[in-house]
Amino acid sequence: GDSGFWVLRMEGEEGRARISVAHKSRSQSHSFNCPYQVGLYQGVHLNTPADADAYGAVRLQRGDLVVVATDGLTDMMYPLEILELAARAISQGKSASELAGELVDSAIELSRDASRLSPIIQALAQRGHVARTREAQDDVTVLVARVL
């Protein structure tokens, strides 16, 4: 529920190429900050795999990056920050594995900044909740694959 995927694509000519989101999974939650959870609670199924969104074929192109991540990434980094980091990694010839590591490291580093207005802190504040950075810290798992 609180994990998702993006397909990132470079578009344009070499040297002037821009990165964009070619496809993005939808949020799967019951309500704000209440994602689907596969499992049991007091003997009752919370959600099952059948509750998850099903995606038809997503058309991939050579060079696309498929980024699969937990909300620990997207709660700490804005989409533009993720795109900028990915574009920089691509321009530097970094591997998919190196990009995944940089995304994890960046999210963890940003989560430690007590003055940062991260996406999750901003979303909580918009709903009238008080949240401090340490309360918004979460696990960060990222997998990146490059389409060859």
Side-chain angles (χ1 to χ4, degrees), residues 104 126 145:
V104 168
Q126 287 172 342

Side-chain angles (χ1 to χ4, degrees), residues 92-127:
Q92 295 171 350
K94 294 192 175 178
S95 69
S97 177
E98 289 171 316
L99 171 56
E102 287 187 17
L103 287 167
V104 168
D105 292 345
S106 292
I108 291 170
E109 182 179 331
L110 292 168
S111 77
R112 294 180 178 143
D113 182 351
S115 64
R116 177 167 170 80
L117 184 60
S118 65
I120 189 62
I121 297 291
Q122 185 176 16
L124 288 165
Q126 287 172 342
R127 288 164 177 80

Side-chain angles (χ1 to χ4, degrees), residues 71-110:
D71 65 331
L73 176 69
T74 54
D75 282 354
M76 287 300 131
M77 295 182 73
Y78 289 95
L80 183 58
E81 292 173 315
I82 294 168
L83 290 172
E84 287 174 343
L85 199 152
R88 187 170 49 251
I90 291 168
S91 71
Q92 295 171 350
K94 294 192 175 178
S95 69
S97 177
E98 289 171 316
L99 171 56
E102 287 187 17
L103 287 167
V104 168
D105 292 345
S106 292
I108 291 170
E109 182 179 331
L110 292 168

Side-chain angles (χ1 to χ4, degrees), residues 35-54:
Y36 288 7
Q37 299 289 323
V38 175
L40 295 172
Y41 176 71
Q42 296 181 350
V44 177
H45 283 280
L46 300 173
N47 293 106
T48 68
D51 295 323
D53 282 345

